[in-house]
């Protein structure tokens, strides 16, 4: 352990329950006519690592664009949030939080507590250790939880700036987007602020390139889902039998990722007592990544009882950050 290691507190709410959640979700997904598995299961240690690599790819514009907006917006956001908890939902690597902490300034660090929330304990621990090296005065309380289920496990005894970046909200279906915003809104006090990143609708070629990178990292990330299922549920998916597919669904305004069986394939999922047959060309739907318009965001946040305080864009309007209050 390094000299700061002891200062990081990690509360793991998933140790016993995550396994059964994936079993339930996989059972539902693999007995459905369009087979599917929720995209949150991408993020084991390996998946979190691969996603981190995706963020640096030349084709993957969202991270870079959101960071460029944050570079301008973070100082103003932090000035209007002088003390309290900075809660980051789906924290992953430390790329973004550092922009907020740097904007606050070294002298002010002791006025904040950083509360990263993630499903991957290894990714959270690694990131927290690194952060403590860089910002020794910062208090860090890591929460291992599935924030789509357990908003109530997130501390609410201080004023909060809740960060939900990267357009992770786009991975939810429309009902979940609405329910999730409502659940956060219900949980917020008057001084709390909620900063949400939305990836915006843009030309198809740009979108499809971002999810079909030339180096094949997104393909590896997608196929890692099969590793997760093999490990967590004693399944026997063969990765070489599947190919990565990603396309923009114009009507539904979302990028869809699937894993397509190259030939007819029979898979056994031992822990579910389930034998799954995939026809040649049949897909497992692994992710939706919704792309938003301004009017859709406005309607959605209003329906959740949230009020827009600020709205930040990049010059091309490819990505946006909305600061919300109740
Ligand atoms: C971080 C979940 C928003 O949907 O763009 C990246 C995940 N999937 N490449 C996204 C992802 C494929 C990413 N999110």
């Amino acid at each position: 352990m390094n000299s700061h290691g002891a200062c990081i507190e990690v509360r793991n709410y998933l140790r016993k329950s995550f396994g059964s959640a994936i079993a339930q979700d996989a059972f539902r997904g693999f007995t459905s006519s369009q087979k599917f598995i929720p995209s949150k299961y991408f993020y084991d240690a390996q998946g979190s690592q691969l996603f981190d690599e995706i963020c640096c790819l030349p084709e993957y514009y969202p991270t870079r664009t959101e960071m460029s907006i944050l570079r301008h917006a973070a100082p103003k956001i932090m000035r209007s949030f002088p003390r309290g908890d900075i809660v980051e939902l789906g924290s992953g690597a430390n790329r973004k939080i550092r922009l907020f902490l740097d904007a606050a300034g070294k002298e002010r660090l002791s006025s904040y507590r950083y509360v990263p929330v993630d499903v991957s304990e290894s990714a959270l621990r690694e990131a927290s250790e690194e952060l403590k090296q860089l910002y020794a005065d910062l208090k860090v309380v890591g929460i291992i939880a599935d924030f789509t289920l357990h908003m109530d496990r997130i501390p609410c005894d201080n004023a909060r700036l809740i960060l939900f970046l990267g357009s992770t909200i786009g991975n939810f279906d429309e009902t979940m987007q609405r329910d999730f915003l409502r659940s956060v809104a219900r949980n917020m006090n008057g001084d709390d602020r909620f900063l949400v990143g939305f990836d915006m609708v843009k030309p198809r070629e740009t979108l499809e390139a971002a999810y079909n990178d030339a180096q094949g990292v997104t393909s590896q990330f997608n196929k890692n889902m099969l590793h997760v299922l093999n490990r967590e549920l004693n399944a026997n998916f063969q990765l070489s039998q599947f190919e990565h597919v990603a396309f923009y669904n114009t009507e539904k305004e979302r990028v869809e990722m699937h894993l397509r069986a190259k030939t007819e394939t029979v898979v056994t999922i031992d822990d579910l007592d389930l034998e799954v047959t995939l026809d040649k060309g049949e897909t497992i739907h692994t992710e939706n990544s919704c792309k938003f318009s301004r009017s859709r965001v406005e309607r959605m946040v209003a329906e959740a009882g949230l009020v827009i305080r600020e709205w930040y864009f990049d010059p091309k309007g490819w990505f946006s950050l909305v600061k919300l209050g109740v």
Side-chain angles (χ1 to χ4, degrees):
M1 196 190 312
N2 64 56
S3 58
H4 301 303
C7 311
I8 296 161
E9 184 187 329
V10 175
R11 304 175 187 162
N12 190 339
Y13 291 99
L14 295 176
R15 225 171 223 142
K16 292 197 183 65
S17 64
F18 202 48
S20 68
I22 190 174
Q24 284 178 31
D25 287 338
F27 192 86
R28 221 164 72 81
F30 282 100
T31 54
S32 162
S33 58
Q34 167 65 68
K35 297 178 173 57
F36 70 92
I37 181 86
S39 54
K40 64 185 175 193
Y41 298 114
F42 277 134
Y43 301 94
D44 68 343
Q46 175 71 6
S48 298
Q49 165 79 41
L50 285 165
F51 178 66
D52 196 39
E53 279 178 49
I54 288 175
C55 293
C56 303
L57 293 169
E59 298 94 336
Y60 195 73
Y61 64 84
T63 311
R64 170 168 334 107
T65 310
E66 185 178 40
M67 300 262 298
S68 75
I69 302 170
L70 280 175
R71 249 170 238 119
H72 287 106
K76 189 165 174 220
I77 293 169
M78 292 307 275
R79 268 199 303 279
S80 63
F81 185 73
R83 70 190 61 79
D85 289 349
I86 307 172
V87 177
E88 188 175 10
L89 306 177
S91 48
N94 290 324
R95 237 180 275 287
K96 294 164 194 169
I97 188 61
R98 294 181 55 180
L99 294 174
F100 291 90
L101 298 174
D102 290 343
K106 273 224 161 9
E107 330 67 59
R108 304 214 42 83
L109 282 183
S110 55
S111 320
Y112 298 106
R113 188 166 70 155
Y114 177 49
V115 185
V117 185
D118 206 282
V119 291
S120 171
E121 175 157 3
S122 61
L124 185 139
R125 277 194 184 276
E126 218 175 286
S128 301
E129 297 283 338
E130 187 201 67
L131 211 64
K132 283 296 288 185
Q133 305 276 356
L134 294 163
Y135 307 91
D137 293 337
L138 184 71
K139 289 183 275 313
V140 179
V141 179
I143 308 282
I144 312 295
D146 180 344
F147 54 78
T148 63
L149 303 173
H150 301 133
M151 270 311 286
D152 57 336
R153 290 172 179 177
I154 292 160
C156 56
D157 41 351
N158 292 318
R160 295 180 301 174
L161 173 64
I162 304 170
L163 307 176
F164 192 36
L165 305 175
S167 202
T168 302
I169 191 167
N171 291 153
F172 300 169
D173 66 30
E174 231 169 304
T175 311
M176 249 181 78
Q177 287 171 17
R178 206 195 46 219
D179 292 352
F180 179 70
L181 291 181
R182 283 205 184 128
S183 80
V184 177
R186 259 200 313 274
N187 198 264
M188 278 169 70
N189 297 314
D191 289 339
D192 292 348
R193 294 290 175 264
F194 185 25
L195 188 70
V196 189
F198 291 96
D199 195 14
M200 307 305 277
V201 171
K202 63 183 63 58
R204 165 192 294 276
E205 307 77 66
T206 312
L207 289 167
E208 292 191 341
Y211 293 82
N212 289 284
D213 65 281
Q215 292 175 59
V217 185
T218 309
S219 165
Q220 276 186 63
F221 172 73
N222 197 4
K223 288 179 190 170
N224 181 59
M225 184 66 93
L226 301 177
H227 265 142
V228 172
L229 294 168
N230 285 349
R231 188 187 57 237
E232 296 298 322
L233 300 175
N234 285 304
N236 65 350
F237 287 96
Q238 277 192 283
L239 272 65
S240 60
Q241 294 266 52
F242 291 86
E243 59 194 355
H244 165 74
V245 179
F247 59 89
Y248 185 55
N249 182 331
T250 316
E251 189 206 331
K252 297 192 166 155
E253 296 185 323
R254 67 189 193 197
V255 172
E256 295 187 11
M257 292 212 308
H258 295 252
L259 289 162
R260 181 160 63 205
K262 292 183 192 165
T263 56
E264 190 188 87
T265 309
V266 182
V267 182
T268 311
I269 309 179
D270 262 350
D271 290 7
L272 303 182
D273 266 322
L274 194 66
E275 198 175 76
V276 178
T277 307
L278 288 121
D279 297 331
K280 180 181 165 148
E282 190 178 344
T283 70
I284 306 165
H285 189 173
T286 50
E287 187 177 67
N288 288 318
S289 191
C290 295
K291 305 306 162 190
F292 297 87
S293 62
R294 293 190 196 204
S295 55
R296 179 164 165 198
V297 172
E298 280 166 356
R299 179 169 41 82
M300 221 167 52
V301 301
E303 279 172 10
L306 291 158
V307 180
I308 298 179
R309 312 279 302 212
E310 301 279 352
W311 203 335
Y312 304 97
F313 284 90
D314 61 296
K316 287 192 220 152
W318 277 10
F319 202 95
S320 76
L321 284 160
V322 182
K323 195 172 92 169
L324 302 161
V326 284

